[in-house]
Amino acid sequence: MELYELNLLMMTEGLKAKKFSASEIFESCKKRIDACEPSIHALITRTDDTMPTFNENGALAGIPTVIKDNLCTKGLRTTAASKILGNWRPPYDATAWSKLKDAGSILMGKANMDEFAMGNTCGNSAFGPTMNPNDTSLVPGGSSGGSAAAVSAGYVPFSLGSDTGGSIRQPASFCGVYGLKPTYGMVSRYGLISYGSSLDQIGPFARTVRDLQLVMSVISGHDNMDSSSFSDRPHDFSYNEKASVKGKKVALVKEFADFTLDAPIADAMKRTAKILEDEGAVITEVSLPVVSKYAVACYYALAMSEAHTNLERYDGVRLGYTVKDARGIKEMFERVRSHGFGAEVKARIIAGTCLTEPTRCEEYYVAATKVRTLIAQEFTRAFGETDYILQPVTPSMPGKVGEVDDDAMKGYEADLYTLPVNLAGLPGLSFFTGYAGNLPVGLQLIGKRWSDSELLDTGIILENHLGSPRIANGGVK
Ligand code: GLN
């Protein structure tokens, strides 16, 4: 076994027991990146030239990681996979990253993504697409596709991504790793390049649920720099051996029962429900009529409105890409923004501008905020009747690189199972259920707000039954 194949827990334990050194881990991961990166392209920037010094006493001492390229890294190019940021080097670190660094983790690179986290294929990157390490003709999912692919191919044992409407959970399921979208407010977003601020959340990817716990115990918690991060909650992510689902209720969503799913996903739903039942859980049903009918429209109206505001700052003046020979400010804005943004981002800025324009604002943006309240209420009611909701991550298995980006509406609709979780600020775990041929199949378990650690405990129970994913071939012949 090569060292890069070890999961996070095995790495930390082996390092503590001095079975191997941090520099051996570093070299092994680096070699793996060299071998796979030409066919996977998970990284926009590599930072694994030489091993940096690190905190040898931290919880993640010597553990390699990669983080999504919308997380600011001080003095290191941060692109959000957009041309418009140019060679911008942030003057500060994102809190989630500085916590990892303080804990001793080593950055191997910045991960590829859909531009400004808009998309679900990783095909909207100004730096070219990332490929699925299980089958390089397929997409890895997105927008955090690079972060998921890096963990799946064994570049690093864990990584960070962000999830606004599914961008951690969906690539986790396509690549065959675990991904947690934490409760809104559980992880500081300071230094995360904003997409839809009322929806964005940072979270981890790893090859075991136990490893997600280790990362969450480092990155969660209050931050004075992010007023949406909460301090008045317990954040205990330590492993709970006694965790059980006996007597717990796990609900399926009634309205989703008629929607078509690819066969491996439908089959995984049945198998997983059976496992939970055998473990003593009660399988029930909840009704989410507003979610099933209006969540997609509501999410895209809000996400685009917020994105158009958040992306106003890229004007060629403050930071990033600019043109020097413009005749006047208007021409500069026009040239910078039309060359700097990719097609999907521009489409969303235009839509967001229309949705919030004074004469239409009530009818669209304000209406969407009201629907969002109804959706949140619907979940509150549902979680009065159940402990968890079990559902797919996506209706279909990953599509082909280059093909799936052609139909934007279809892409939006495919987010139906993930985006309601962000609208309601809930935690969602994307977990591995097994393989269909060569391809991993993931599902999603949703919990109550602030139940993240319990959700992971239940994830471990599922992992014990369903098995953990293997490292993907990574395009290596
Ligand atoms: N696919 C969704 C979108 O494009 C979600 C993306 C995300 O979670 N960042 O908005």
Side-chain angles (χ1 to χ4, degrees):
M1 194 176 194
E2 303 283 342
L3 290 177
Y4 75 80
E5 295 175 67
L6 298 175
N7 64 40
L8 173 52
L9 183 64
M10 284 151 83
M11 269 190 199
T12 49
E13 285 181 346
L15 282 166
K16 262 190 229 134
K18 300 209 182 326
K19 285 195 191 143
F20 39 76
S21 68
S23 60
E24 284 172 309
I25 297 266
F26 180 86
E27 287 308 323
S28 179
C29 290
K30 184 174 168 167
K31 248 177 117 182
R32 180 66 180 165
I33 300 174
D34 286 338
C36 302
E37 193 53 5
S39 25
I40 303 300
H41 187 235
L43 305 175
I44 291 176
T45 305
R46 284 182 68 168
T47 54
D48 58 348
D49 211 24
T50 49
M51 190 169 91
T53 53
F54 58 90
N55 172 12
E56 296 187 20
N57 302 312
L60 299 173
I63 305 295
T65 190
V66 308
I67 62 175
K68 190 173 179 178
D69 208 18
N70 59 355
L71 288 160
C72 288
T73 41
K74 188 175 174 181
L76 175 70
R77 182 174 75 147
T78 298
T79 69
S82 183
K83 250 188 7 211
I84 208 154
L85 278 146
N87 278 317
W88 184 55
R89 289 165 199 275
Y92 56 90
D93 280 322
T95 298
W97 162 235
S98 63
K99 284 186 169 187
L100 291 182
K101 193 161 60 174
D102 290 348
S105 188
I106 294 174
L107 189 69
M108 305 300 271
K110 301 289 297 284
N112 198 17
M113 55 184 281
D114 288 300
E115 185 177 3
F116 285 105
M118 297 177 189
N120 52 20
T121 62
C122 222
N124 291 340
S125 167
F127 297 84
T130 294
M131 273 56 73
N132 191 314
N134 298 280
D135 176 342
T136 55
S137 73
L138 303 178
V139 300
S143 64
S144 314
S147 302
V151 172
S152 150
Y155 292 14
V156 287
F158 83 95
S159 66
L160 293 187
S162 68
D163 190 312
T164 304
S167 280
I168 290 175
R169 289 160 287 155
Q170 189 256 26
S173 82
F174 280 7
C175 289
V177 296
Y178 298 89
L180 177 71
K181 183 264 166 204
T183 298
Y184 187 78
M186 182 65 92
V187 178
S188 164
R189 289 137 354 120
Y190 178 67
L192 169 69
I193 294 178
S194 302
Y195 161 19
S197 311
S198 75
L199 303 154
D200 299 338
Q201 185 55 229
I202 295 170
F205 293 93
R207 294 189 299 267
T208 70
V209 181
R210 184 86 184 79
D211 288 356
L212 291 182
Q213 289 179 324
L214 293 174
V215 182
M216 282 305 291
S217 62
V218 173
I219 65 172
S220 62
H222 181 71
D223 177 11
N224 284 332
M225 301 304 281
D226 177 1
S227 58
S228 69
S229 70
F230 290 80
S231 54
D232 56 342
R233 306 280 165 176
H235 299 300
D236 183 4
F237 284 98
S238 48
Y239 173 51
N240 174 9
E241 283 171 84
K242 296 202 192 87
S244 144
V245 290
K246 213 157 271 154
K248 291 257 154 89
K249 287 191 179 152
V250 180
L252 309 178
V253 177
K254 185 171 153 232
E255 289 75 13
F256 292 162
D258 304 329
F259 297 176
T260 20
L261 298 172
D262 279 2
I265 301 169
D267 173 60
M269 283 290 288
K270 284 198 200 100
R271 274 188 299 124
T272 306
K274 175 85 174 49
I275 287 170
L276 289 165
E277 204 166 24
D278 291 348
E279 279 286 319
V282 182
I283 305 294
T284 63
E285 198 177 63
V286 288
S287 175
L288 299 174
V290 181
V291 168
S292 65
K293 273 211 197 83
Y294 302 113
V296 174
C298 171
Y299 167 87
Y300 277 96
L302 293 176
M304 289 175 181
S305 299
E306 293 186 23
H308 118 86
T309 307
N310 277 324
L311 271 52
E312 253 171 22
R313 71 192 70 170
Y314 305 102
D315 54 10
V317 180
R318 285 165 248 232
L319 50 91
Y321 174 69
T322 193
V323 291
K324 294 251 156 41
D325 57 345
R327 287 156 303 178
I329 192 91
K330 187 162 176 283
E331 186 186 310
M332 182 172 84
F333 287 171
E334 268 173 24
R335 281 173 55 193
V336 164
R337 288 173 71 85
S338 47
H339 296 157
F341 289 129
E344 179 63 22
V345 174
K346 276 189 272 198
R348 293 190 188 199
I349 291 173
I350 293 167
T353 309
C354 295
L355 291 161
T356 51
E357 188 262 331
T359 62
R360 299 194 187 97
C361 193
E362 278 292 325
E363 199 182 337
Y364 294 104
Y365 174 73
V366 176
T369 62
K370 291 178 184 164
V371 175
R372 181 187 198 164
T373 303
L374 293 178
I375 287 173
Q377 286 170 348
E378 211 164 79
F379 274 112
T380 306
R381 207 180 324 114
F383 279 116
E385 298 163 16
T386 188
D387 298 287
Y388 298 108
I389 296 175
L390 173 69
Q391 68 185 40
V393 180
T394 55
S396 4
M397 301 293 283
K400 293 253 183 242
V401 177
E403 283 176 17
V404 275
D405 296 311
D406 295 344
D407 188 344
M409 284 311 283
K410 215 171 149 209
Y412 299 168
E413 279 157 17
D415 294 339
L416 167 67
Y417 297 114
T418 49
L419 54 79
V421 168
N422 302 68
L423 288 168
L426 304 168
L429 172 69
S430 177
F431 62 94
F432 170 79
T433 68
Y435 290 94
N438 221 14
L439 288 182
V441 184
L443 289 181
Q444 181 177 204
L445 197 65
I446 302 166
K448 298 176 189 173
R449 278 171 78 86
W450 310 111
S451 73
D452 307 43
S453 66
E454 252 178 74
L455 184 63
L456 294 179
D457 287 335
T458 305
I460 292 178
I461 297 171
L462 289 168
E463 183 179 356
N464 288 341
H465 284 276
L466 294 160
S468 323
R470 55 180 183 247
I471 288 183
N473 161 277
V476 178
K477 297 275 168 335

